[in-house]
Amino acid sequence: MQKMTVVQRFSRTFRENPSLAKMLIVFTVRYSLLCGFYRRECSGGGLVAYSEAKSDSGVNIVNSTEAEGKKKRVVVLGTGWAGTSFLKNLKNSSYDVQVISPRNFFAFTPLLPSVTCGTVEPRSIVEPIRNIVKKKNLDIHYWEAECFKIDAENKKVYCRSNLAGDSNEKEEIIVDYDYLVVAMGARSNTFNIPGVAENCHFLKEIEDAQKIRRTIVDCFERASLPNLSDEERKKILHFVVVGGGPTGVEFAAELHDYVNEDLIKLYPKVKEAVKITLLEATDHILNMFDKRITAFAEEKFKRDGIDVKTGAMVVKVSDKDISTKEVKNGGAVSTMPYGMVVWSTGIGTRPVIMDFMKHIGQGNRRVLATDEWLRVEGSDSIYALGDCATINQRRVMEDIWAIFRKADKDNSGTLTVKEFQEVLNDICERYPQVGLYLKNRQMSSLVDLLKDSRGDAVKESSVEVNLEELKSALSQVDSQMKNLPATAQVAAQQGSYLADCFNRMEECEKNPEGPLRFRGEGRHRFHPFRYRHFGQFAPLGGEQTAAQLPGDWVSIGHSTQWLWYSVYASKLVSWRTRALVISDWGRRFIFGRDSSGI
Amino acid sequence: MQKMTVVQRFSRTFRENPSLAKMLIVFTVRYSLLCGFYRRECSGGGLVAYSEAKSDSGVNIVNSTEAEGKKKRVVVLGTGWAGTSFLKNLKNSSYDVQVISPRNFFAFTPLLPSVTCGTVEPRSIVEPIRNIVKKKNLDIHYWEAECFKIDAENKKVYCRSNLAGDSNEKEEIIVDYDYLVVAMGARSNTFNIPGVAENCHFLKEIEDAQKIRRTIVDCFERASLPNLSDEERKKILHFVVVGGGPTGVEFAAELHDYVNEDLIKLYPKVKEAVKITLLEATDHILNMFDKRITAFAEEKFKRDGIDVKTGAMVVKVSDKDISTKEVKNGGAVSTMPYGMVVWSTGIGTRPVIMDFMKHIGQGNRRVLATDEWLRVEGSDSIYALGDCATINQRRVMEDIWAIFRKADKDNSGTLTVKEFQEVLNDICERYPQVGLYLKNRQMSSLVDLLKDSRGDAVKESSVEVNLEELKSALSQVDSQMKNLPATAQVAAQQGSYLADCFNRMEECEKNPEGPLRFRGEGRHRFHPFRYRHFGQFAPLGGEQTAAQLPGDWVSIGHSTQWLWYSVYASKLVSWRTRALVISDWGRRFIFGRDSSGI
């Protein structure tokens, strides 16, 4: 404190002469330094490091400082992968950013299955959002609240604090925005199957993982109580995992390892009663992966004694048993008692997003749609990214007439190669399915496609097509369109993409860098979002992992597990979480997993 | 699995010929080895290592094996300091031990205040009780249940499983015992002050510490919400600690460090609103410590801005504010709003123990009383230790006649020095207050005391006293009696003492080693329990700790903090917890404490 006396003296000077501060602001060269001092004075002490100084405006949003008043207000809903990635990559200080989320931390969700069995501690994979934004020298404020209504018409979001407080406190917060970034994620999808919401565990939040961990240990303790029949013991120790996707498979594998490496040592007499069942409605588990991976996983699970039931659709979950129906063979329904069910079948839209969709005319859709620039269709200043939205890629066929007209500069009614080549890059950028189609058909350019569709091998220069010919050439192109998977990778890339757009908003307003507007004038401000797939892992337990990397490169086994360790360690959000997760892995290797019921 | 085939073959042989097993038991030299095989067969698998084999009897307690039938059944209630210390030190394999506790782990409670602020993670200070007993080659079974009734008459305890289970499961468990070890600890004492139970946080269990941590972060998040008045913000960030004992003081100090070292960096704008108040009903905090420590602590807290209010008795806690009454000066009542109250004023007796006390005729006592051998008064086969009981040290004056008669071997009506010296050690052992009195009066033997009381300096050999003279000589002795403090140190020493008694039960039955039975014949089987005080720490925050070590040696400051680190690290229950706690401390030094709301 002694060291900061000079600062405190400065502060007092400013406090007593507010005009002095204003005057000094004129010397813009020193602006940021002074701002640091001035704001520090607001917070009433000199202990705050400079890096935090700028996030220190008054709480009452309406009466913010003059400088801030001119700033565009950006409201970010959510602190998951998309929201956090946006915040981490935002560099432009001309925004006043409000982050609103019911969770004051970012969670590294790909390690959630590891948390369920104590391989990694929950706290090792979370980082306070305030810590993340503190490092950035920007106006970013965080409020722990949950948005329950988006009013696109008046550019307001309605939020509610979910913190315990007495009724005197104003729990409802209404926040104005200029730009809204919706990154609220999704909820677990129960498909309205009766009993799922009441009796199943989910695996989306940190709290879910903690609850699963406690339940596993509870099941083992319950099964160890005296005076139970063998049947009851088997029921309690029957763990059912619904959903053969990467999360369900990883959880089943983790659970198998936890049981066999740690729990049976402490609960030897119930060992025989443990059973893990994995239910999958389709024909194979991990069906989004290469067939080699699926086969390896199914074989490994069989060896491990995990009962994989494919083609089994859950129809009901009571508090005691779970009923499944065979998808084929007449659809026989069978019922089995269980001790714990983990539901991991996919995601659904949150109610607040559903409500918002109704208001902006997307009521008949199942998922919130954005354009290729992540802007919500029908709301110019709202962006949506991550699991709460999908990109509604425009079809070439919808715009074929506009494309033709734009390319046909001389209005001749036909396109020459020259004319065509001038818009070629724009077409491929605006409609990535075109590029994909060419790649899959092993053609190098659109001209080949046109030639191909005309069926003759005339010289390039003589290719000239009319609208109908263009239509027929591009007719198959839209079949290449695919929705992006709901993964952390997609969300993070979208967040970083959007931040980049916000960083260069003014610049790109003046010099648009995007493709031609086929249905309008000029160019789009930005390049559209383009996802780059870096591959996907499927940990299978027993220190073995499968990986499918770009170019259909498949790798399975112990070495891939080490690749997994390195990739995940490097991707963690901070050095703190990195150190903690690595030490958690080390602890597990040395001491095994803990089975205390906390 | 392959390696164990021989074992499995053995197992099958035994399973098919149970008589073979019985026959083999005759060969007692190989008894324990065979027992290992036989039991392994019960569990139905060969994977179990030998160390666990013996803890593997059938679940149904009534139908245990013949060999076990002969074993005395010991039931241990509780897995805190006393119970765990008992289990860790038990070596005698001639008992069949059942451990029953609602918590399946042992928690290193002295680090609980560190858990409240995230300096140490909760999981780093717990060790599964199954892990602790697994290492011992004994018949120890653990059941996660809570005892709700002790039936001393029929030697049964009634327990209830607190695990979620459907109604089909038998939740009530009745367990027979030959010896019962009650080590259930205590509850927080609210002194029936209105509102305390509903509105205060306690600091006894791991869950309490986790809840406090979440509440601290919640308070900071709530206070950061917009549209709050300064007054509301101050209320939310007013942390009140009730009780100026070591726990309350340590928590207040930890909280101050957490706020000033970590939280204000992330919540700079609410910094000014934070206030910590420490309420203590007596005149000073830490009043069981040396005055130097008290003075240092009060001075340090004043410097730190912690508001220490002594002489303030809490009379009511509502959901918004806490009312205190001045103990002196007319007892003015004042009320202050708060954000969180932590109640740490002392311990009370659990309802199940109260109920038990009524049944064994201790209904008019406040705490369960045991004799100096930790046996519950009025129940020969029940032992009670730790916070749930106190040793009712027998007064010399009650037994003075018996002592005199026993010492006066020739029934002469007077005691000679020789006669007296023969029983001297026994008196000092049976009535430790005698030794303490001599030490405090700086006398070397009882003879000096007698001489002193007679007021003449006659030669030793000529001292001869009658009953009345002995009475007056010893009349002040009982004033030295003091109850043991309710600390982990006492509980651990009691557990280890009792285990040692159980280990040598048979041996001491034959060759009693205790003091003379003054009111009976022969000697007591064991030496009575004697507490050795190794000193006590009071961490004061800012890397400073006060320590009061035996011999009234006082040490305060940074070096004592390092002593604290070393002692606590060395006292932790396992290498795992040791490694985790040390890495937690390291993490805190490097990265600070986490503020995620989980």
Side-chain angles (χ1 to χ4, degrees):
Chain A
M1 279 226 190
Q2 291 304 316
K3 273 193 277 179
M4 304 301 280
T5 321
V6 181
V7 177
Q8 286 175 322
R9 218 171 287 166
F10 258 90
S11 298
R12 196 170 307 131
T13 315
F14 284 112
R15 192 163 38 209
E16 285 159 9
N17 302 291
S19 59
L20 193 65
K22 276 183 199 160
M23 195 184 80
L24 281 168
I25 283 170
V26 178
F27 299 91
T28 46
V29 180
R30 295 185 190 160
Y31 171 72
S32 66
L33 185 69
L34 290 167
C35 182
F37 282 154
Y38 185 67
R39 297 267 173 61
R40 194 174 286 134
E41 184 267 327
C42 295
S43 84
L47 261 177
V48 190
Y50 177 65
S51 61
E52 295 118 40
K54 295 201 78 179
S55 63
D56 198 7
S57 75
V59 168
N60 195 326
I61 32 169
V62 187
N63 301 327
S64 48
T65 65
E66 204 173 305
E68 275 172 15
K70 289 170 191 165
K71 289 183 173 184
K72 290 272 191 189
R73 169 162 304 174
V74 180
V75 172
V76 180
L77 301 177
T79 52
W81 278 95
T84 304
S85 168
F86 174 80
L87 294 171
K88 281 188 87 172
N89 288 285
L90 195 67
K91 292 191 187 82
N92 193 331
S93 62
S94 66
Y95 300 106
D96 172 19
V97 183
Q98 253 88 42
V99 186
I100 299 170
S101 167
R103 275 178 296 143
N104 75 348
F105 54 84
F106 163 75
F108 189 83
T109 46
L111 284 176
L112 266 190
S114 299
V115 171
T116 55
C117 299
T119 309
V120 166
E121 288 303 322
R123 211 167 276 275
S124 303
I125 64 165
V126 303
E127 185 71 21
I129 204 73
R130 290 178 185 272
N131 227 358
I132 294 171
V133 302
K134 190 189 78 170
K135 288 168 191 158
K136 312 195 66 71
N137 218 349
L138 305 174
D139 254 338
I140 306 184
H141 311 271
Y142 166 76
W143 294 328
E144 187 168 327
E146 189 157 10
C147 169
F148 65 93
K149 189 180 158 194
I150 299 170
D151 180 356
E153 213 166 298
N154 301 303
K155 292 198 170 184
K156 281 180 199 302
V157 287
Y158 291 75
C159 306
R160 205 176 279 131
S161 158
N162 57 353
L163 300 163
D166 58 54
S167 49
N168 279 352
E169 285 161 38
K170 293 130 196 130
E171 291 199 346
E172 205 162 281
I173 307 164
I174 303 165
V175 187
D176 297 309
Y177 64 81
D178 296 308
Y179 298 114
L180 180 65
V181 178
V182 183
M184 302 169 80
R187 58 172 183 80
S188 294
N189 201 343
T190 63
F191 301 101
N192 291 325
I193 295 167
V196 173
E198 297 83 1
N199 300 307
C200 293
H201 288 262
F202 300 97
L203 194 39
K204 274 207 72 67
E205 310 284 343
I206 291 278
E207 288 80 5
D208 297 338
Q210 288 176 307
K211 220 172 125 195
I212 288 176
R213 183 178 187 176
R214 270 194 301 269
T215 308
I216 295 169
V217 175
D218 275 2
C219 285
F220 273 85
E221 288 297 350
R222 268 165 67 199
S224 302
L225 290 175
N227 306 331
L228 286 180
S229 69
D230 277 355
E231 201 188 321
E232 283 169 317
R233 201 163 291 128
K234 277 186 180 162
K235 169 197 173 304
I236 294 169
L237 291 175
H238 184 204
F239 299 98
V240 181
V241 184
V242 185
T247 309
V249 165
E250 187 177 350
F251 170 69
E254 272 277 351
L255 179 61
H256 173 263
D257 284 0
Y258 186 27
V259 169
N260 285 277
E261 291 170 10
D262 301 288
L263 290 176
I264 55 162
K265 289 183 194 160
L266 297 184
Y267 304 83
K269 58 190 173 184
V270 297
K271 192 195 145 216
E272 291 296 288
V274 183
K275 191 183 168 193
I276 301 171
T277 301
L278 178 60
L279 301 176
E280 164 62 36
T282 67
D283 285 348
H284 291 286
I285 60 171
L286 295 178
N287 51 29
M288 67 293 288
F289 280 84
D290 190 279
K291 273 177 192 156
R292 286 166 286 176
I293 292 179
T294 301
F296 181 87
E298 288 178 346
E299 179 55 38
K300 184 179 183 302
F301 276 14
K302 200 171 169 185
R303 240 178 13 243
D304 286 346
I306 299 174
D307 189 8
V308 179
K309 282 209 169 82
T310 53
M313 223 171 60
V314 175
V315 287
K316 195 186 150 194
V317 184
S318 81
D319 61 343
K320 286 189 195 68
D321 37 39
I322 178 165
S323 307
T324 58
K325 187 174 153 182
E326 279 184 55
V327 174
K328 297 173 183 171
N329 304 329
V333 173
S334 63
T335 293
M336 50 191 172
Y338 70 85
M340 177 175 88
V341 177
V342 173
W343 190 265
S344 164
T345 56
I347 56 170
T349 306
R350 288 188 189 277
V352 49
I353 300 283
M354 294 289 263
D355 191 56
F356 170 56
M357 285 163 67
K358 264 180 220 153
H359 279 94
I360 56 166
Q362 290 198 20
N364 55 345
R365 297 189 63 101
R366 281 175 46 230
V367 189
L368 182 64
T370 69
D371 64 15
E372 296 87 337
W373 291 266
L374 309 183
R375 264 179 320 200
V376 170
E377 289 186 352
S379 302
D380 228 25
S381 50
I382 304 183
Y383 298 81
L385 48 170
D387 288 359
C388 69
T390 49
I391 296 173
N392 191 16
Q393 174 62 49
R394 223 171 148 78
R395 294 169 180 277
V396 173
M397 280 304 127
E398 289 176 273
D399 295 346
I400 192 80
W401 189 76
I403 295 170
F404 188 88
R405 214 183 46 168
K406 192 68 121 197
D408 183 22
K409 279 190 181 163
D410 56 3
N411 287 321
S412 63
T414 56
L415 289 183
T416 65
V417 167
K418 195 170 165 286
E419 282 174 331
F420 206 72
Q421 266 168 346
E422 273 173 3
V423 295
L424 196 66
N425 286 337
D426 292 302
I427 293 177
C428 284
E429 189 177 1
R430 181 71 186 82
Y431 308 96
Q433 61 267 46
V434 176
L436 215 61
Y437 186 77
L438 292 176
K439 197 178 148 206
N440 288 350
R441 299 285 295 265
Q442 298 189 322
M443 294 168 182
S444 62
S445 78
L446 269 173
V447 181
D448 290 320
L449 180 64
L450 298 180
K451 282 191 291 188
D452 192 51
S453 73
R454 289 180 70 184
D456 56 11
V458 288
K459 270 195 287 175
E460 248 187 45
S461 57
S462 66
V463 177
E464 204 161 306
V465 292
N466 60 21
L467 180 61
E468 285 313 307
E469 283 168 331
L470 184 68
K471 261 192 190 168
S472 87
L474 296 174
S475 59
Q476 297 301 311
V477 161
D478 287 330
S479 66
Q480 297 296 318
M481 282 168 38
K482 248 196 276 186
N483 277 342
L484 294 177
T487 63
Q489 224 175 125
V490 171
Q493 288 183 27
Q494 290 183 336
S496 128
Y497 163 83
L498 193 65
D500 195 50
C501 294
F502 272 72
N503 290 339
R504 300 179 303 117
M505 189 84 86
E506 265 180 60
E507 191 187 322
C508 291
E509 204 80 63
K510 287 174 203 150
N511 308 306
E513 61 178 23
L516 267 183
R517 288 181 196 267
F518 289 104
R519 287 169 301 148
E521 287 310 304
R523 295 189 157 271
H524 290 277
R525 282 180 303 177
F526 305 107
H527 296 294
F529 171 73
R530 194 66 66 81
Y531 171 60
R532 284 185 62 198
H533 185 61
F534 291 108
Q536 199 176 1
F537 286 105
L540 301 172
E543 295 295 309
Q544 297 198 58
T545 287
Q548 184 161 358
L549 300 164
D552 282 334
W553 193 66
V554 165
S555 164
I556 307 176
H558 296 287
S559 55
T560 317
Q561 176 78 24
W562 286 99
L563 181 67
W564 182 87
Y565 282 130
S566 358
V567 169
Y568 276 30
S570 72
K571 287 286 174 198
L572 276 158
V573 69
S574 68
W575 283 106
R576 191 186 67 86
T577 52
R578 215 162 280 151
L580 291 182
V581 166
I582 291 171
S583 81
D584 283 352
W585 284 334
R587 184 209 59 200
R588 204 271 288 167
F589 274 108
I590 302 168
F591 301 110
R593 302 169 184 88
D594 181 40
S595 66
S596 307
I598 58 168
Chain B
M1 277 220 193
Q2 292 303 317
K3 274 194 278 179
M4 303 301 281
T5 321
V6 180
V7 176
Q8 287 174 320
R9 218 171 287 164
F10 258 91
S11 299
R12 196 169 309 128
T13 316
F14 284 114
R15 192 162 40 210
E16 285 158 11
N17 303 290
S19 59
L20 193 63
K22 279 184 197 162
M23 194 183 81
L24 281 168
I25 283 172
V26 179
F27 298 91
T28 47
V29 181
R30 295 186 190 159
Y31 169 71
S32 65
L33 186 69
L34 290 168
C35 184
F37 282 152
Y38 185 66
R39 299 267 173 63
R40 192 173 288 132
E41 182 265 329
C42 294
S43 83
L47 257 179
V48 191
Y50 180 62
S51 62
E52 293 117 41
K54 296 199 80 180
S55 61
D56 198 7
S57 76
V59 167
N60 196 325
I61 31 166
V62 188
N63 301 328
S64 49
T65 65
E66 203 173 307
E68 275 173 17
K70 288 171 191 165
K71 288 185 174 185
K72 292 273 190 187
R73 169 163 303 174
V74 180
V75 172
V76 181
L77 301 178
T79 52
W81 277 95
T84 305
S85 168
F86 175 79
L87 294 170
K88 281 188 87 169
N89 288 285
L90 195 67
K91 293 191 187 84
N92 192 334
S93 63
S94 65
Y95 300 105
D96 172 18
V97 184
Q98 253 89 39
V99 187
I100 299 170
S101 166
R103 274 177 298 145
N104 76 348
F105 54 84
F106 163 74
F108 189 83
T109 47
L111 284 176
L112 266 191
S114 300
V115 172
T116 56
C117 298
T119 310
V120 166
E121 288 304 322
R123 211 168 275 276
S124 303
I125 65 165
V126 302
E127 184 72 22
I129 204 73
R130 290 176 186 273
N131 227 358
I132 293 171
V133 302
K134 190 188 78 172
K135 289 168 191 158
K136 312 193 68 72
N137 217 350
L138 305 174
D139 254 340
I140 306 183
H141 311 271
Y142 167 76
W143 293 328
E144 187 168 327
E146 189 157 9
C147 169
F148 65 93
K149 190 180 158 193
I150 300 170
D151 180 356
E153 213 166 298
N154 301 305
K155 292 196 168 187
K156 281 180 199 302
V157 286
Y158 292 75
C159 305
R160 204 175 281 130
S161 159
N162 56 353
L163 300 162
D166 58 53
S167 50
N168 279 352
E169 285 161 37
K170 292 133 196 127
E171 291 200 344
E172 205 162 281
I173 308 163
I174 303 166
V175 186
D176 297 308
Y177 64 81
D178 296 308
Y179 297 113
L180 180 65
V181 178
V182 183
M184 302 168 81
R187 57 172 182 81
S188 293
N189 201 343
T190 63
F191 303 101
N192 291 324
I193 296 168
V196 172
E198 297 83 3
N199 301 306
C200 293
H201 288 263
F202 299 97
L203 193 41
K204 274 206 74 66
E205 310 284 343
I206 291 279
E207 288 80 5
D208 297 338
Q210 288 177 307
K211 220 173 126 196
I212 289 176
R213 182 179 188 176
R214 269 194 302 268
T215 308
I216 296 169
V217 175
D218 275 2
C219 285
F220 273 85
E221 288 296 351
R222 267 166 69 201
S224 303
L225 290 175
N227 306 332
L228 285 181
S229 69
D230 277 355
E231 200 188 322
E232 284 169 317
R233 201 162 290 128
K234 276 185 181 162
K235 171 197 172 303
I236 294 169
L237 290 176
H238 184 204
F239 299 99
V240 181
V241 184
V242 185
T247 310
V249 165
E250 187 178 351
F251 170 69
E254 273 279 350
L255 179 61
H256 173 263
D257 285 0
Y258 186 27
V259 170
N260 285 278
E261 291 170 10
D262 303 288
L263 290 177
I264 56 163
K265 290 182 193 162
L266 297 185
Y267 303 84
K269 57 189 173 185
V270 297
K271 191 193 148 221
E272 289 296 286
V274 184
K275 190 182 167 194
I276 301 172
T277 301
L278 178 60
L279 300 177
E280 164 61 37
T282 66
D283 284 348
H284 290 286
I285 60 170
L286 295 179
N287 52 28
M288 65 294 288
F289 279 85
D290 190 280
K291 273 175 192 157
R292 284 166 289 177
I293 292 179
T294 301
F296 181 87
E298 288 179 345
E299 180 55 36
K300 184 179 183 303
F301 276 14
K302 201 172 169 185
R303 239 177 15 243
D304 286 347
I306 297 175
D307 189 9
V308 178
K309 281 209 171 82
T310 54
M313 225 171 60
V314 174
V315 288
K316 195 186 150 195
V317 184
S318 81
D319 60 344
K320 285 188 197 71
D321 36 40
I322 178 165
S323 306
T324 57
K325 188 175 151 182
E326 280 184 52
V327 174
K328 296 173 183 172
N329 304 330
V333 173
S334 62
T335 293
M336 48 190 173
Y338 70 85
M340 177 175 89
V341 178
V342 173
W343 191 265
S344 164
T345 56
I347 55 168
T349 307
R350 288 188 189 277
V352 48
I353 299 285
M354 294 289 263
D355 190 56
F356 169 55
M357 285 163 68
K358 265 180 221 154
H359 280 92
I360 56 166
Q362 289 197 19
N364 54 344
R365 297 188 63 101
R366 281 174 48 228
V367 189
L368 183 64
T370 69
D371 65 14
E372 295 86 337
W373 290 266
L374 309 183
R375 265 180 320 199
V376 170
E377 290 186 351
S379 302
D380 229 25
S381 49
I382 303 183
Y383 297 82
L385 48 168
D387 287 359
C388 70
T390 49
I391 296 174
N392 191 15
Q393 173 62 49
R394 221 171 150 78
R395 294 170 180 274
V396 173
M397 280 304 125
E398 289 177 273
D399 294 347
I400 191 82
W401 189 77
I403 295 170
F404 188 87
R405 215 183 47 170
K406 191 70 120 195
D408 183 22
K409 280 192 179 162
D410 56 3
N411 287 322
S412 63
T414 55
L415 289 184
T416 64
V417 168
K418 193 170 167 288
E419 281 174 333
F420 207 74
Q421 266 168 346
E422 273 174 1
V423 295
L424 196 65
N425 286 337
D426 291 302
I427 293 177
C428 285
E429 190 176 1
R430 181 70 186 81
Y431 308 96
Q433 61 266 48
V434 176
L436 216 60
Y437 187 75
L438 293 175
K439 196 178 148 205
N440 288 350
R441 299 284 296 262
Q442 300 190 322
M443 296 169 183
S444 61
S445 78
L446 267 174
V447 180
D448 289 319
L449 179 65
L450 296 181
K451 280 192 292 188
D452 192 51
S453 75
R454 288 180 70 182
D456 55 11
V458 288
K459 268 193 287 175
E460 247 188 44
S461 58
S462 67
V463 177
E464 202 160 307
V465 290
N466 61 22
L467 180 60
E468 285 312 308
E469 282 167 331
L470 184 67
K471 258 190 192 169
S472 85
L474 296 176
S475 61
Q476 297 301 312
V477 161
D478 287 330
S479 67
Q480 297 296 319
M481 283 167 38
K482 248 195 278 187
N483 277 342
L484 294 177
T487 62
Q489 223 175 124
V490 171
Q493 288 183 26
Q494 291 183 335
S496 130
Y497 163 82
L498 192 65
D500 195 50
C501 294
F502 272 73
N503 290 340
R504 299 180 303 117
M505 190 82 87
E506 266 179 60
E507 190 187 321
C508 291
E509 204 80 63
K510 287 176 204 148
N511 307 306
E513 61 178 24
L516 266 182
R517 289 181 196 268
F518 289 105
R519 286 169 302 148
E521 287 309 304
R523 295 187 156 272
H524 289 277
R525 281 180 303 179
F526 306 107
H527 296 293
F529 171 73
R530 194 65 65 83
Y531 171 59
R532 283 186 63 198
H533 185 61
F534 290 109
Q536 199 176 0
F537 286 105
L540 301 172
E543 295 295 310
Q544 298 199 58
T545 287
Q548 184 162 357
L549 301 164
D552 281 333
W553 193 66
V554 164
S555 163
I556 307 176
H558 295 288
S559 55
T560 317
Q561 177 77 25
W562 286 99
L563 180 67
W564 182 87
Y565 282 131
S566 356
V567 169
Y568 276 29
S570 71
K571 287 285 173 196
L572 277 159
V573 69
S574 68
W575 284 105
R576 190 186 66 87
T577 52
R578 214 162 281 151
L580 291 182
V581 166
I582 291 171
S583 81
D584 282 352
W585 286 334
R587 183 210 59 200
R588 204 270 288 169
F589 274 108
I590 302 167
F591 301 109
R593 303 169 184 87
D594 180 39
S595 66
S596 307
I598 58 167

